[in-house]
Amino acid sequence: MRNLLSKIRDTLNNDNLAGYLFISPWLIGFFAFMVIPMGLSLYLSFTRYSVLTPPVWIGLQNYKEIFTADPRFWQALKVTFTYVLGAVPLRLIFALFLAVLFSQKRALVGLYRTMYYIPSLIGGSVAVAVMWRQLFGVYGALNSALIKAGLIETGFGWNTHPKTALLSLIVLAAWQFGSPMLIFLAGLKQIPASLYESAAIDGANWWQTFFKITLPMLSPIIFFNLVMQLINNFMVFTQAYIITGGQPFDRTLVYILYLFQKGFTYSQMGYACALAWILLFIIGVITAFIFKSSAGWVYYESKGDF
Amino acid sequence: MERTIGLVTLIAVLVAAFALTGSTEPTTLRLTWWGNQTRNDQTIEVIELFEKKNPGYKIKPEYTSWSGYWDRMAAQAAGSNLADIMQQDFKYITQYAESGQIIPLDPYVNKGLNLKDVEDTFIEPGKINGKLYGVNLGANTYVFAYDPAMFAKANVNEPNPDWTWEEYLDTCKKLRKGLKMFADNELGFATNNISGLEHYVRQRGQQIFDPSGKKLGFDPKLFVEFYKMDLDLTKDKVFAPPEVRLEVTSVENNLLVTKKAAMSSVWTNQIVAFNNAAQRPLKMALFPKDKKQVKEGTYLKPSMFFSITKDCKNRNAAVKFIDFFINDVEVNKILKAERGVPISSKVRAAMASELDETGKAMFEIIDLAGKHSSAIDPPPPAAFKQVIDVLNDVHYKMLYKVITLDQGAKEFFDRSNKILAEAL
Amino acid sequence: MKRLKKTAGSVAYHGFILLFGFFMFYPVMWLIASSFKEHAEIFQNAHSLIPNQFHFENYAQGWKGFGGVTFGTFFKNSFIISSISTFGQIFSASLVAYGFSRIKFFGKKFWFKVMIITMLLPGQVLQIPQYLLFNKLGWIDTFKPLILPSFFAGPFFIFLMVQFIQGLPIELDEAARIDGCDRYSIYFRIILPNIKPALITAGIFSFYWTWNNFLQALLYIQTIEKYPASLALQLFSDPTSVTHWGAMFAMAVLSLVPIFLIFITFQKHLVEGISTTGLKG
């Protein structure tokens, strides 16, 4: 009996079995909820599918049309890349900067963290859309302030003018930097105090400590935030959908908004699936590149060898 | 052992009880619609009335907001899980009918579904390829809502039913001059909407869509004429500039409501909302006539429909509910014409005495529009929504002077025709 | 001198954070103010933070809900869905993350890549296929599609925890192994306590993402009595007709309260004290 128990224990501690046991929740979920839907969406990308009628196989036609005869696809890509290039750095820099400020032990710091985090709790509801329109609208708060200050004479449509509409969405993204900030805070908390103590004994100043200890020790988290922010901002949808709806004339047509229009508004779900798999490929390449590069700048206490 | 027997007996009793209640289970129907707090509450009140008057029937309400409604319908249609009765919209009904998701109601007309008191003009718009797929829930038409006090202040005459485009433009210019504010958000339903252009095209005896549905059905010259009016008066600040128009996204921030304009194009079933939001008395006027017109541009449009889906098991029950909804006087007193003016003449007559000011105005304008209208065009092709988006796109490009009016006309026709030709 | 410098630094710190914080917080105050305004005022007196008159009845009208189902029910549903999912998410994701970051097993690199790739496909195109799947399983109009998948570890949370576990020195595990711990007790006794900040962060995220999740609920929940608050909030608005803005804002503000409280309760664990993580374990 005792023998059997120890045998079971040994088997359970076998690397291969233990590995699969630990990742089994995800693995089972993947096979149960993801494999079929993902496979279906790939299949649908080779069909004409209105959702209301059964799909019809058309081979590569969707892909061909996207690349050769769809100016709105290229417009959506352009808008999305601009958005990502604006929003991701802004969010990460704000998040890191404020996380460092808020990780200090000072009076009121808990209150401050909350104050800066609340905007992100509001998320992308209809209330946010109304709020953003009222703040940056022609008759909104920003314009009233600018007019009072004598900087402009009449209200400017920040959300609606072709030159600034996308900018206004980027500002909204920058405003909601709470999630990466929170992750940075958790990361900062994990850095062993002993490292800072020995740095203090060596007489290192704040900057030296920041670059020699904080940044390297935080690099796995920076890497995580970078990857996730890239993925999430490439897939931005709600904010654009509720605030600008792609207006004016596709100047804020982010990729997923276009995909959504095609799939749901215009009932071209096959085409939308093709768009989705193209986006997967694009983000995949970028993500792979970042993963590759991470060997050079991410420091792990214990690398998990991927 | 005894415990086991006890348990088994208990289970047996429970199963039997369950089976018994199952056999007397009422006929249950799922009913789905989009709406707001008012419509949701009123419709639920109607359901309760129906259940009270028809024991043995149960209606399960499933409602969402407009923005999520069609996503949910698409998923349910794909899963053959649509509600028994669904609220339908003019923009979507063709697609749902042609794909067989909703069923023709002709076999039930006057055999369960009483349409004897309903004029043909109200029934026709629910027909696709000659078959009735949707029961009209209320008559609707597009009009101008305006603030008579502002007209008086600017010393401008209020519109009469026979006014022309020239008089309309003249009125707008005078309003601008007299009030130093916008006359309107835009030229009547020219923005974010195809109804203004449609009105203009119909007056010249043409249609937006070719009967084949594969291309546009009107002369590009009409597009140029119509949008020239809008662009010219926008330049003179008679109508709001594009950045302001883009911000008008709900009744509550419409420029008429926020007192930045003297009039606004509206659908008649929106007038209650406009009156509530504006908090001052508004009046309504028909769209202008054309000196060269060969027929009336105005038409009566269904505000929305009820349709029965292919997934409905008990179709007679569904028909019974729809019949109750449109013909019962008590029901329509609860609904207060929130979905538009009731289509049954009997119901309208019974309601007339109890209407408030706004309700009366709505009934009167529909009556007036009926006298100055021609028959509605056939339902638009399924790619309709895409064409409207193209129009919107082109219109704003012209307003922001990215392209000229002639380029706009060409772009609108090229892109729309391509979309229509490629659509199935 | 040194003290003066310190005071100056302190003033600069608080001054900067408060000034910048005003811009961060202004829209939130606007939202709260709007929840007390009459709906016309929300649009006509947009930049004022003080309502002309406090309309507390917005809250009453909003709470009343639809057809006799109040926001009490909607909040209860949200609470059930969010708290169970969060528990499932944290538990399962930490297990999987431990497996990926600490155990060498055949096919690990492959599965990790697959996991990352599943995050790259826009969820919009999975909606219909997943609906069909859950429909086949008979899960429509139940909480199952909203809750059960979180027990199977979301990639975001796995990846997050993997990064945190990789930040722990391997010596921690080895010391425990010498003390006679096997993998399973290392996970419970060493890893979990040491990634507490990550678990808390994940918990906060999971809770409020589920709380705000509108689309899944829209597709899978049909019965009004089962609507979560995120879905019920949408029922106020109708762009073509009356939107009950006052009531909507009131309930939007109210629905922030629980996630706000969760954040306040847990955020202090993120910084409180200085980390003691070290070789001592």
Side-chain angles (χ1 to χ4, degrees):
Chain A
M1 192 65 189
R2 216 197 161 110
N3 223 339
L4 185 70
L5 267 180
S6 75
K7 213 171 187 174
I8 291 176
R9 181 175 280 175
D10 281 353
T11 322
L12 282 181
N13 275 301
N14 167 289
D15 272 351
N16 278 332
L17 185 66
Y20 278 95
L21 267 182
F22 271 104
I23 70 158
S24 63
W26 171 74
L27 209 54
I28 294 169
F30 172 69
F31 281 106
F33 304 125
M34 284 302 283
V35 170
I36 297 174
M38 278 182 86
L40 256 179
S41 81
L42 184 61
Y43 161 73
L44 289 175
S45 76
F46 300 106
T47 66
R48 189 190 265 268
Y49 181 42
S50 77
V51 182
L52 297 182
T53 44
V56 181
W57 182 268
I58 52 168
L60 285 171
Q61 205 178 306
N62 287 329
Y63 291 91
K64 206 176 129 199
E65 183 171 342
I66 289 171
F67 287 117
T68 58
D70 188 355
R72 297 188 76 204
F73 162 73
W74 297 106
Q75 170 68 11
L77 270 189
K78 197 177 115 194
V79 169
T80 308
F81 271 98
T82 317
Y83 178 85
V84 167
L85 284 176
V88 172
L90 279 177
R91 280 171 77 113
L92 287 178
I93 290 167
F94 278 137
L96 180 59
F97 177 63
L98 286 153
V100 169
L101 284 188
F102 293 154
S103 66
Q104 302 176 5
K105 270 186 107 177
R106 278 184 194 260
L108 296 175
V109 81
L111 179 77
Y112 292 158
R113 273 200 298 273
T114 312
M115 199 160 105
Y116 278 69
Y117 189 67
I118 288 185
S120 308
L121 286 178
I122 300 177
S125 61
V126 182
V128 170
V130 177
M131 180 181 84
W132 215 248
R133 286 197 213 111
Q134 290 304 322
L135 293 179
F136 293 103
V138 174
Y139 306 108
L142 177 66
N143 283 329
S144 328
L146 290 176
I147 290 170
K148 264 197 198 123
L151 292 172
I152 52 172
E153 275 173 25
T154 50
F156 185 80
W158 301 96
N159 288 324
T160 46
H161 196 278
K163 287 211 170 75
T164 55
L166 186 59
L167 187 69
S168 144
L169 289 182
I170 294 177
V171 172
L172 176 61
W175 182 63
Q176 297 187 319
F177 59 75
S179 311
M181 179 182 86
L182 206 57
I183 298 172
F184 278 137
L185 272 170
L188 288 169
K189 156 112 173 140
Q190 218 191 13
I191 300 175
S194 53
L195 288 178
Y196 289 110
E197 282 155 17
S198 45
I201 291 166
D202 293 346
N205 66 20
W206 190 89
W207 289 105
Q208 284 166 328
T209 319
F210 181 75
F211 282 105
K212 290 270 158 60
I213 296 172
T214 311
L215 274 189
M217 291 303 285
L218 200 59
S219 62
I221 308 305
I222 296 175
F223 171 69
F224 172 82
N225 270 336
L226 176 65
V227 171
M228 288 318 303
Q229 288 302 322
L230 273 174
I231 295 178
N232 289 342
N233 285 289
F234 263 110
M235 295 198 191
V236 61
F237 169 66
T238 317
Q239 279 79 357
Y241 178 63
I242 58 180
I243 294 177
T244 63
Q247 304 264 34
F249 43 90
D250 293 349
R251 287 294 165 94
T252 58
L253 185 78
V254 292
Y255 197 92
I256 302 291
L257 186 60
Y258 180 50
L259 181 154
F260 179 85
Q261 247 186 27
K262 278 285 184 184
F264 288 92
T265 317
Y266 303 156
S267 303
Q268 299 176 5
M269 192 50 89
Y271 199 89
C273 287
L275 285 171
W277 282 88
I278 292 170
L279 184 68
L280 179 138
F281 182 77
I282 295 171
I283 313 178
V285 168
I286 295 171
T287 311
F289 178 75
I290 297 173
F291 264 86
K292 275 262 178 325
S293 82
S294 73
W297 62 274
V298 179
Y299 168 77
Y300 292 106
E301 279 282 323
S302 50
K303 179 90 180 75
D305 105 89
F306 296 107
Chain B
M1 193 62 198
E2 264 172 43
R3 267 175 77 178
T4 324
I5 294 175
L7 198 65
V8 169
T9 325
L10 184 67
I11 291 171
V13 169
L14 282 177
V15 168
F18 197 73
L20 277 177
T21 48
S23 65
T24 56
E25 213 173 76
T27 308
T28 304
L29 291 174
R30 288 164 57 207
L31 168 67
T32 182
W33 72 86
W34 70 88
N36 54 16
Q37 211 175 10
T38 315
R39 185 180 299 163
N40 297 344
D41 287 349
Q42 286 172 350
T43 312
I44 288 166
E45 214 179 309
V46 170
I47 289 175
E48 281 162 4
L49 184 69
F50 179 77
E51 288 172 347
K52 207 175 86 193
K53 285 194 174 175
N54 299 280
Y57 287 90
K58 204 163 160 22
I59 309 278
K60 195 170 156 278
E62 295 176 4
Y63 44 86
T64 67
S65 62
W66 165 262
S67 60
Y69 185 77
W70 296 103
D71 295 350
R72 183 193 268 187
M73 291 307 114
Q76 293 187 346
S80 294
N81 190 28
L82 281 170
D84 298 282
I85 305 169
M86 75 180 289
Q87 192 168 293
Q88 263 292 357
D89 180 81
F90 202 65
K91 282 197 273 257
Y92 286 83
I93 194 166
T94 312
Q95 202 186 351
Y96 274 75
E98 284 178 350
S99 60
Q101 296 290 344
I102 50 179
I103 60 162
L105 302 172
D106 306 80
Y108 304 97
V109 172
N110 297 331
K111 290 175 202 124
L113 180 63
N114 180 6
L115 297 179
K116 283 182 193 128
D117 304 317
V118 183
E119 291 92 331
D120 271 351
T121 45
F122 296 131
I123 302 173
E124 257 341 280
K127 288 189 178 167
I128 290 128
N129 305 329
K131 284 189 194 140
L132 183 69
Y133 282 93
V135 178
N136 190 344
L137 296 183
N140 214 357
T141 191
Y142 50 91
V143 294
F144 288 109
Y146 63 94
D147 182 343
M150 286 182 176
F151 274 62
K153 199 175 152 209
N155 203 10
V156 178
N157 288 335
E158 290 180 32
N160 66 59
D162 287 310
W163 69 335
T164 60
W165 284 105
E166 287 75 16
E167 286 168 302
Y168 162 73
L169 297 179
D170 196 45
T171 303
C172 289
K173 285 176 194 157
K174 281 186 187 150
L175 285 169
R176 168 78 217 180
K177 225 172 141 196
L179 298 167
K180 300 272 177 285
M181 62 155 106
F182 301 125
D184 196 339
N185 301 260
E186 74 226 9
L187 182 77
F189 269 148
T191 301
N192 225 334
N193 212 307
I194 206 165
S195 302
L197 179 65
E198 187 185 18
H199 181 81
Y200 196 78
V201 165
R202 279 166 52 87
Q203 290 175 323
R204 304 297 185 84
Q206 301 179 26
Q207 311 184 2
I208 294 284
F209 297 102
D210 185 78
S212 71
K214 292 286 171 199
K215 59 178 192 205
L216 294 177
F218 65 100
D219 187 345
K221 217 176 66 199
L222 299 183
F223 178 97
V224 174
E225 284 175 25
F226 182 74
Y227 280 101
K228 187 171 187 321
M229 295 192 279
D230 184 55
L231 295 177
D232 286 351
L233 269 69
T234 306
K235 203 173 67 199
D236 301 339
K237 298 196 169 121
V238 175
F239 299 139
E243 56 267 35
V244 174
R245 290 187 202 185
L246 275 167
E247 287 178 4
V248 177
T249 48
S250 70
V251 171
E252 286 78 7
N253 65 0
N254 184 290
L255 299 181
L256 170 64
V257 170
T258 56
K259 297 186 187 138
K260 292 187 175 76
M263 51 203 285
S264 170
S265 24
V266 303
W267 289 92
T268 46
N269 68 331
Q270 292 179 310
I271 195 66
V272 179
F274 268 84
N275 264 330
N276 279 340
Q279 293 171 320
R280 59 192 201 275
L282 301 175
K283 287 168 88 174
M284 285 180 281
L286 297 181
F287 264 45
K289 298 196 173 180
D290 197 311
K291 274 190 201 147
K292 293 181 238 166
Q293 80 177 32
V294 296
K295 70 171 189 181
E296 296 287 357
T298 299
Y299 61 91
L300 294 180
K301 191 188 154 186
S303 61
M304 54 200 86
F305 307 95
F306 270 158
S307 293
I308 298 180
T309 70
K310 71 163 196 325
D311 302 329
C312 173
K313 298 279 176 327
N314 195 334
R315 294 180 179 173
N316 286 316
V319 167
K320 190 180 171 76
F321 179 78
I322 297 178
D323 179 69
F324 180 72
F325 202 87
I326 56 167
N327 285 317
D328 191 282
V329 173
E330 214 179 318
V331 165
N332 284 284
K333 281 180 182 168
I334 294 171
L335 294 173
K336 297 194 183 73
E338 191 269 332
R339 281 183 173 87
V341 173
I343 55 169
S344 153
S345 53
K346 250 193 195 153
V347 170
R348 281 202 302 275
M351 283 175 79
S353 58
E354 290 183 23
L355 291 168
D356 60 6
E357 281 302 307
T358 319
K360 212 177 277 170
M362 185 159 59
F363 276 54
E364 277 166 10
I365 195 84
I366 288 290
D367 203 40
L368 184 68
K371 288 172 191 139
H372 294 267
S373 64
S374 61
I376 189 170
D377 291 343
F384 181 54
K385 293 186 290 291
Q386 258 173 295
V387 172
I388 291 187
D389 285 354
V390 171
L391 178 64
N392 208 17
D393 204 61
V394 168
H395 186 200
Y396 276 107
K397 277 186 190 162
M398 298 189 303
L399 283 168
Y400 276 117
K401 300 194 179 72
V402 176
I403 54 175
T404 64
L405 182 54
D406 289 327
Q407 284 167 332
K410 189 173 173 335
E411 185 177 337
F412 175 62
F413 273 76
D414 288 352
R415 284 172 65 185
S416 301
N417 284 336
K418 180 168 180 276
I419 288 165
L420 290 165
E422 283 171 3
L424 277 185
Chain C
M1 187 61 203
K2 202 170 180 189
R3 209 175 140 175
L4 195 71
K5 207 173 157 191
K6 206 176 165 194
T7 319
S10 213
V11 168
Y13 177 89
H14 290 286
F16 170 80
I17 287 181
L18 282 174
L19 181 77
F20 200 59
F22 174 76
F23 291 105
M24 289 297 295
F25 208 63
Y26 176 89
V28 181
M29 292 187 290
W30 183 89
L31 190 67
I32 296 170
S34 295
S35 75
F36 291 105
K37 287 179 181 174
E38 198 185 3
H39 68 139
E41 202 192 333
I42 295 175
F43 294 97
Q44 287 173 18
N45 188 10
H47 23 272
S48 150
L49 285 183
I50 299 150
N52 289 337
Q53 204 186 338
F54 278 87
H55 289 266
F56 291 100
E57 70 270 18
N58 285 345
Y59 280 81
Q61 202 208 343
W63 185 265
K64 172 168 82 86
F66 313 90
V69 186
T70 67
F71 260 77
T73 309
F74 302 139
F75 281 128
K76 192 192 80 198
N77 294 334
S78 288
F79 203 79
I80 294 172
I81 297 167
S82 297
S83 46
I84 304 181
S85 319
T86 302
F87 170 77
Q89 196 65 262
I90 296 180
F91 183 66
S92 58
S94 61
L95 275 174
V96 177
Y98 176 71
F100 272 130
S101 47
R102 280 299 201 249
I103 305 175
K104 286 198 178 95
F105 60 90
F106 177 75
K108 174 159 108 174
K109 283 182 189 175
F110 172 75
W111 289 119
F112 192 79
K113 280 195 190 103
V114 171
M115 185 197 80
I116 297 287
I117 289 172
T118 59
M119 284 195 285
L120 307 182
L121 193 66
Q124 283 79 4
V125 297
L126 296 176
Q127 273 177 33
I128 300 282
Q130 275 177 339
Y131 184 92
L132 296 178
L133 181 71
F134 292 137
N135 192 28
K136 277 266 186 304
L137 293 171
W139 288 7
I140 301 301
D141 208 24
T142 70
F143 289 165
K144 284 177 202 165
L146 308 181
I147 293 178
L148 282 182
S150 18
F151 280 79
F152 298 95
F156 173 88
F157 296 102
I158 301 174
F159 186 26
L160 175 72
M161 293 183 197
V162 161
Q163 290 308 97
F164 275 87
I165 296 175
Q166 288 187 101
L168 297 176
I170 195 81
E171 291 84 356
L172 279 178
D173 302 42
E174 276 158 11
R177 196 166 298 145
I178 292 164
D179 291 346
C181 289
D182 62 6
R183 295 199 177 289
Y184 305 92
S185 41
I186 290 177
Y187 161 74
F188 267 111
R189 296 210 193 130
I190 309 295
I191 301 293
L192 280 190
N194 273 311
I195 57 162
K196 209 171 107 195
L199 298 179
I200 288 168
T201 312
I204 292 174
F205 287 162
S206 169
F207 191 88
Y208 96 84
W209 284 344
T210 321
W211 188 271
N212 284 343
N213 185 344
F214 149 73
L215 198 65
Q216 306 298 99
L218 170 77
L219 294 183
Y220 300 129
I221 307 289
Q222 295 166 352
T223 308
I224 311 307
E225 286 82 359
K226 294 180 194 163
Y227 276 21
S230 56
L231 184 52
L233 273 177
Q234 312 282 329
L235 296 178
F236 288 111
S237 77
D238 186 344
T240 61
S241 179
V242 186
T243 296
H244 302 270
W245 292 106
M248 192 190 83
F249 276 106
M251 289 306 106
V253 168
L254 212 54
S255 104
L256 281 177
V257 173
I259 42 179
F260 176 69
L261 288 179
I262 295 238
F263 177 74
I264 306 217
T265 319
F266 288 103
Q267 61 91 17
K268 54 175 184 275
H269 297 288
L270 288 178
V271 195
E272 169 192 80
I274 304 270
S275 168
T276 50
T277 312
L279 265 181
K280 279 168 277 171

